[in-house]
Amino acid sequence: MTITIPENEVPENGRTVQDGAATVEFRGLTRRFGATVALDAHDLTVRPGELIALLGPSGCGKTTALRMLAGFEAPDSGAVLVDGQDVTGVPAHRRDAGMVFQSYSLFPHLNALDNVAFGLRMRKVATAERRSRAAELLELVGLADKGERFPHQLSGGQQQRVALARALALRPRVLLLDEPLSALDAKVRTTLREEIRRLQQELGITTLFVTHDQEEALSTADRVAVLRAGRVEQCSTPTELYARPATAFVAEFVGTTSRIPGVMSAPDTVEVLGRRVPATGAGIAAGTDVDVLLRPEGVDVTPDPGAGARVVATAFLGATTRVTVRLSNGVEVKADVPTRRTAELPVGTPVAVGLPDQEVLVVERPRTAT
């Protein structure tokens, strides 16, 4: 897996980038645990000052990649470079990276201020300076009045804010976040991820954020790298990743997707539900049986007494309601419709299914064993 951050490049959204934002490369990086390949060689480019989310299921290699950059894990092959210098053999405390863990890892015998100042103390920073710096960081994360409290006197969200302040205290060139929000309840998690994003943009620090939560990745990152079995399937902006997934794995891992059987009528056209629509795939030949992958917001359903499809379930989502439709061939399709329309779509209603106007992603249908 190769991660490259070009020097002196401002991210496309024009936000401020911290002076000296680090250039990081993972070159041909591979790590095996017995017969399991945790991380395989791959190329990925990351701009300075942006937040990259590494997203994927458990065991896909995202945390292994992060730990190798931090210096906590050694690769079997390949090299880790920071600003062009090979740091593969450099110990973690010399990597100039701040890391925030899922488990907070605060010292229980130290108050919040001393926890934040701990790294500065290890670097023999003068007492007055380190306490002043720690107080500044606590104010930055909204805990200016909690400096004298010990970890057990803080909520989970407050403890994670202290851990974030501690990671930032040494002014690291790279910030590494290893599923920092997964132990928190939903409301606190949402608030804190917004706070992390605000701080990251304000400081302009290059950040790698590991998560298995797609909503967290899509709402926080500049770009998201979806990993599978140690390889990056796709790295794109959240909008691109969701709207134009490169593979079936990405389409089904990120968001909700329905599979509808179709047949390729040409290399760039698929026949599905009695219509021919433009398709994107891996150059699948005409006549090939395929599955068409559709997002629920791209599917429309309307009452039609003569249709063979039927509504089999509805789920209220607020402004929209997710309607599950069973086609005449038994395949189920999900569609998001305005909630105001649900009165006309009760369970059992015969409906016609409309397809999106844009290109649809198709994948060759797996052959059934005989």
Side-chain angles (χ1 to χ4, degrees):
M1 180 180 180
T2 303
I3 296 183
T4 306
I5 304 176
E7 292 185 5
N8 303 320
E9 185 178 339
V10 177
E12 292 174 353
N13 63 7
R15 68 182 177 282
T16 302
V17 176
Q18 173 177 282
D19 290 341
T23 299
V24 179
E25 290 182 80
F26 291 2
R27 289 187 178 173
L29 206 58
T30 301
R31 184 71 169 100
R32 294 181 176 85
F33 297 97
T36 301
V37 179
L39 195 65
D40 207 350
H42 199 91
D43 293 335
L44 179 67
T45 301
V46 184
R47 302 180 185 92
E50 73 177 344
L51 189 154
I52 293 293
L54 302 181
L55 175 68
S58 298
C60 70
K62 55 189 185 295
T63 293
T64 301
L66 201 72
R67 289 177 62 82
M68 286 184 179
L69 179 54
F72 299 144
E73 195 82 46
D76 295 320
S77 61
V80 179
L81 284 76
V82 176
D83 287 334
Q85 296 184 345
D86 189 341
V87 298
T88 310
V90 175
H93 67 277
R94 293 183 179 177
R95 294 260 179 131
D96 202 12
M99 190 157 183
V100 179
F101 300 92
Q102 175 183 349
S103 59
Y104 316 144
S105 300
L106 299 179
F107 298 109
H109 63 290
L110 299 180
N111 62 26
L113 186 73
D114 289 337
N115 260 287
V116 175
F118 181 80
L120 298 171
R121 190 177 79 181
M122 292 298 98
R123 292 192 178 182
K124 302 189 185 304
V125 174
T127 301
E129 182 180 347
R130 70 173 182 254
R131 291 184 68 83
S132 174
R133 174 66 178 159
E136 289 175 5
L137 266 298
L138 284 177
E139 182 175 0
L140 188 66
V141 299
L143 296 177
D145 60 339
K146 302 293 191 296
E148 299 304 316
R149 294 193 181 185
F150 290 85
H152 73 275
Q153 298 173 313
L154 300 171
S155 68
Q158 290 171 336
Q159 290 183 59
Q160 196 60 291
R161 287 171 185 264
V162 174
L164 178 61
R166 182 178 60 184
L168 294 171
L170 296 175
R171 296 184 173 92
R173 305 194 62 202
V174 180
L175 179 62
L176 309 177
L177 306 172
D178 187 11
E179 303 207 42
L181 310 178
S182 59
L184 304 174
D185 64 57
K187 185 174 181 179
V188 174
R189 189 163 62 242
T190 299
T191 300
L192 193 49
R193 81 185 181 207
E194 293 172 355
E195 185 69 11
I196 287 174
R197 181 55 166 158
R198 181 189 67 79
L199 288 172
Q200 186 272 334
Q201 289 182 314
E202 183 177 314
L203 297 173
I205 185 171
T206 303
T207 302
L208 275 75
F209 188 120
V210 164
T211 180
H212 65 275
D213 186 320
Q214 56 175 285
E215 181 182 342
E216 198 167 271
L218 295 175
S219 64
T220 306
D222 294 302
R223 289 188 295 149
V224 179
V226 180
L227 277 72
R228 179 189 188 191
R231 289 184 173 271
V232 176
E233 291 265 313
Q234 184 177 357
C235 181
S236 302
T237 63
T239 301
E240 176 81 15
L241 195 76
Y242 186 84
R244 287 176 286 278
T247 67
F249 175 82
V250 174
E252 295 182 312
F253 189 81
V254 179
T256 299
T257 303
S258 299
R259 284 179 175 247
I260 303 178
V263 178
M264 297 300 293
S265 55
D268 59 354
T269 306
V270 62
E271 186 170 337
V272 57
L273 296 180
R275 288 184 54 195
R276 291 188 176 185
V277 296
T280 178
I284 303 173
T288 304
D289 290 334
V290 296
D291 284 332
V292 180
L293 281 64
L294 299 174
R295 299 292 192 195
E297 65 273 14
V299 179
D300 187 34
V301 292
T302 54
D304 184 347
R310 294 288 187 277
V311 175
V312 295
T314 60
F316 175 72
L317 301 178
T320 62
T321 292
R322 182 155 296 167
V323 177
T324 302
V325 175
R326 182 171 296 139
L327 305 179
S328 58
N329 59 6
V331 173
E332 291 189 353
V333 182
K334 297 184 184 302
D336 287 351
V337 301
T339 295
R340 66 178 181 274
R341 288 187 50 206
T342 55
E344 65 185 43
L345 296 169
V347 172
T349 303
V351 292
V353 178
L355 298 177
D357 294 330
Q358 69 269 23
E359 283 187 331
V360 296
L361 176 65
V362 297
V363 294
E364 193 165 348
R365 194 182 312 157
R367 294 185 178 181
T368 304
T370 57

